[in-house]
Amino acid sequence: MIILTSFLIFTGGVAFFTWYSLRKTNLTSSDGYFLGGRSLTGIVIAGSMLLTNISSEHLIGMNGNSYVNGFIVIAWEVTSSIALVIAAIFFVPKYLKMGLTTIPQFLESRFDGLTRTMVAAILIFSFVVTLLPIVLYSGAIGIESLFGVSEALGVSKSEGLWITVVIIGVIGSIYAIFGGLKAVAYSDTINGFGLLLGGLLIPILALMAIGDNNIWDGLVKVYDYAPEKFNVVGARDSVLPFEVLFTGLIINQLYFWGMNQTIIQRALGAKNLKEAQKGLLITGLFKILIPLIIVLPGVICYYYFQDTYFDQQDTVYPQLVKKVLPVWLIGFFAAVIMGAVLSTFNSVLNSVATLFSMDIYKKHIAKNVSDTKLVKIGKVTSAILAVMAIFAAPMVANASDGLYQLLQELNGIFFIPIASILLAGFFMKKVSAMGAKVALIFGLSFYIFMTWGYTSHGIHFVHLWGIEFLLNVAIMYSVSYFYPNNNKYEITDVGAVNLTTWKYTIPMSIGLCAVTILIYVLLWNNQ
């Protein structure tokens, strides 16, 4: 009863705060619904970006990954800071200057309408078949493990997971469908504070227990027990070799933080460039700190459980939570997990609704559609895709290398080809629309074949991203030689927001890059 009460208090509090903050917001206009009325501040942008990114597949999946593989998986997080710096300095000023609602809009201006439509369709498909199901399923694992839904309802564990998936999906849909981006962003901000507080409590309480109320002594004991787990430099045969930081990983990070609609839509809704840059760089600071929540606990799990859960790594983090948290806090932490799941789920739904409404419906079906009708189309789209994601969620069960690793492998199908043509659009003036379309199709086909068709090549999937990117660039230039680019598009200021740069952008950017490098210098541990 105590667990359920604390869960309901926190979850209900977030819902009330969101409703109260939105009560005067106009949600009938496309800017109001899809971009929060271009009124988001830096703190709200940072909180929403962090929670959109950090979800149950991180808390559950990445801690499970570090439990097996140690600190080498930290690369997924800390290198994000460098990508966020690049996004803040280069990409976002251009997006706001163009007044974009979706990233594919730029592709139409730079290439053509078909390129825009292809990318929008690919993004919608990728979100529905990869991110949404994995977020729902990993969230269901966490809630089932903490609450024992199946035992409480007297059903099997698989049925309990199904029920939990449906509940999370329905609640997340309500936020996204009825509140738009602003509801998503405001609820994310509160859930973000909950995640930081609750997430930090787990390693703190665990290390205090291990070190007889001394956190440092606890950390020393964990290190002495398995020093190899603290190595950040992955061997070539590891789950994340160190070399991938300089090949496909940087391309992936640039795409995720600078071009990914789900993430960057928060910055597109900023009230001005200052707030957008502030939000991105504060997110970069959080990404350096977040391994304390989604990597360190996994290593602590190894101290407690050894290799007991190696074949069920996605179940180990909830076991640690139940071991170290007092009963009255378990409900709060379940609410934190629920909030993290809802954040990513409703953020993706909102982004998919935006992509479909702006890049497909308005572009091809009803060019003169009213704002009110466009918002209704977005809501219907969210509802349909939520149902599809709920039914697809159980299909990702039993991922051999864990849910987080599965998500990254699947993302490679879509992220790298789209990143290739977006970067070409900004930096490679000779690349034509035909070159972009051919590279997009090739990139999708190449990665699928190399990952699932030709599995004996022995190349790490992140290295494949780098190889694919270089091949895409070569193809774009080759095709553009025969089909030259005649589009002389130049970015112009449409006057959407004030474009004055935040005065701390450069100092904070230098600091984030320096700290990222310092982490690798300090944690370099020769094997």
Side-chain angles (χ1 to χ4, degrees):
M1 190 65 186
I2 295 175
I3 295 175
L4 183 61
T5 301
S6 59
F7 174 83
L8 292 175
I9 288 174
F10 185 80
T11 304
V14 172
F16 176 79
F17 172 81
T18 303
W19 167 81
Y20 186 81
S21 302
L22 286 176
R23 69 194 190 285
K24 295 180 181 178
T25 301
N26 177 17
L27 297 175
T28 59
S29 71
S30 57
D31 259 12
Y33 186 76
F34 297 122
L35 290 180
R38 296 189 188 272
S39 63
L40 303 184
T41 59
I43 292 296
V44 173
I45 291 168
S48 188
M49 289 183 82
L50 181 70
L51 260 288
T52 298
N53 171 230
I54 303 298
S55 187
S56 50
E57 81 276 6
H58 285 78
L59 282 171
I60 307 294
M62 199 162 183
N63 272 309
N65 206 329
S66 66
Y67 161 66
V68 175
N69 301 294
F71 261 77
I72 59 173
V73 299
I74 200 176
W76 291 115
E77 297 307 306
V78 295
T79 58
S80 299
S81 296
I82 296 175
L84 281 157
V85 165
I86 296 171
I89 293 174
F90 181 80
F91 291 112
V92 168
K94 288 179 168 51
Y95 297 154
L96 295 181
K97 190 175 184 179
M98 291 184 275
L100 297 183
T101 302
T102 71
I103 299 303
Q105 283 178 296
F106 164 68
L107 293 174
E108 179 172 23
S109 301
R110 172 61 178 84
F111 296 118
D112 59 17
L114 181 56
T115 306
R116 171 184 179 178
T117 303
M118 289 172 66
V119 169
I122 289 168
L123 285 173
I124 292 170
F125 179 78
S126 72
F127 291 145
V128 175
V129 302
T130 60
L131 184 56
L132 287 176
I134 289 176
V135 166
L136 281 179
Y137 191 75
S138 57
I141 290 175
I143 300 297
E144 161 66 25
S145 299
L146 292 174
F147 271 149
V149 176
S150 55
E151 292 180 13
L153 298 178
V155 297
S156 68
K157 190 169 184 179
S158 60
E159 290 172 330
L161 286 172
W162 257 104
I163 293 169
T164 309
V165 162
V166 172
I167 292 172
I168 295 172
V170 169
I171 296 175
S173 302
I174 290 171
Y175 272 102
I177 293 169
F178 295 106
L181 179 66
K182 201 165 187 178
V184 171
Y186 274 69
S187 62
D188 286 355
T189 303
I190 302 301
N191 282 321
F193 286 114
L195 175 70
L196 291 173
L197 178 61
L200 284 171
L201 268 177
I202 304 304
I204 288 172
L205 292 175
L207 292 174
M208 286 179 68
I210 294 168
D212 297 325
N213 292 322
N214 186 303
I215 294 175
W216 180 254
D217 286 349
L219 185 61
V220 170
K221 284 185 179 179
V222 173
Y223 177 85
D224 289 341
Y225 183 77
E228 71 281 359
K229 293 287 184 181
F230 286 81
N231 178 38
V232 295
V233 180
R236 290 189 176 182
D237 60 348
S238 68
V239 70
L240 199 67
F242 181 66
E243 294 84 358
V244 303
L245 272 67
F246 309 101
T247 58
L249 186 59
I250 189 62
I251 304 299
N252 176 77
Q253 301 290 49
L254 279 177
Y255 171 80
F256 189 85
W257 294 104
M259 310 172 211
N260 181 357
Q261 179 70 29
T262 301
I263 293 293
I264 212 67
Q265 191 166 333
R266 282 102 197 89
L268 299 181
K271 65 191 301 183
N272 53 46
L273 178 58
K274 285 182 181 178
E275 296 300 324
Q277 291 178 321
K278 189 187 301 182
L280 288 166
L281 294 173
I282 292 173
T283 305
L285 178 61
F286 282 144
K287 291 298 286 183
I288 287 175
L289 300 174
I290 211 72
L292 296 174
I293 296 173
I294 63 175
V295 177
L296 178 59
V299 176
I300 294 172
C301 285
Y302 186 76
Y303 175 88
Y304 273 123
F305 308 119
Q306 292 79 48
D307 58 0
T308 305
Y309 296 99
F310 265 24
D311 58 344
Q312 297 176 306
Q313 64 185 61
D314 291 321
T315 65
V316 72
Y317 182 66
Q319 297 299 325
L320 180 67
V321 172
K322 288 193 290 187
K323 186 176 184 67
V324 302
L325 269 190
V327 172
W328 63 275
L329 273 177
I330 290 179
F332 161 72
F333 195 75
V336 167
I337 291 182
M338 175 73 92
V341 177
L342 291 178
S343 167
T344 302
F345 185 74
N346 56 31
S347 295
V348 175
L349 280 184
N350 181 258
S351 294
V352 172
T354 306
L355 288 165
F356 180 81
S357 302
M358 303 298 294
D359 295 317
I360 295 179
Y361 189 86
K362 188 174 183 178
K363 173 71 179 170
H364 297 287
I365 300 173
K367 294 184 179 180
N368 297 317
V369 63
S370 67
D371 261 16
T372 303
K373 178 67 179 297
L374 200 60
V375 170
K376 288 181 180 177
I377 293 298
K379 291 180 178 180
V380 172
T381 303
S382 293
I384 293 171
L385 294 179
V387 172
M388 293 172 63
I390 288 169
F391 278 98
M395 297 179 186
V396 302
N398 303 317
S400 59
D401 291 320
L403 290 172
Y404 188 78
Q405 195 79 354
L406 173 65
L407 176 63
Q408 297 299 346
E409 290 181 13
L410 291 174
N411 280 343
I413 302 173
F414 313 102
F415 284 8
I416 304 304
I418 296 173
S420 302
I421 63 172
L422 279 166
L423 289 170
F426 282 116
F427 295 110
M428 307 168 196
K429 298 298 183 184
K430 291 184 178 181
V431 171
S432 65
M434 181 61 74
K437 287 192 283 284
V438 172
L440 185 63
I441 295 169
F442 169 81
L444 292 169
S445 306
F446 171 82
Y447 185 80
I448 291 171
F449 172 74
M450 292 296 288
T451 304
W452 290 281
Y454 177 45
T455 56
S456 61
H457 53 71
I459 304 172
H460 192 278
F461 73 91
V462 180
H463 283 317
L464 275 181
W465 294 348
I467 294 169
E468 178 187 348
F469 175 75
L470 293 176
L471 289 174
N472 282 349
V473 170
I475 286 170
M476 283 188 283
Y477 272 113
S478 299
V479 173
S480 299
Y481 178 81
F482 297 100
Y483 297 88
N485 177 33
N486 297 316
N487 185 354
K488 305 302 180 185
Y489 170 73
E490 294 290 337
I491 294 173
T492 56
D493 185 1
V494 300
V497 295
N498 185 299
L499 296 175
T500 304
T501 301
W502 187 38
K503 62 181 178 180
Y504 297 113
T505 296
I506 298 303
M508 193 165 177
S509 297
I510 293 171
L512 288 174
C513 292
V515 171
T516 301
I517 295 170
L518 187 62
I519 287 171
Y520 274 89
V521 172
L522 293 177
L523 292 180
W524 190 291
N525 177 26
N526 293 322
Q527 298 184 67

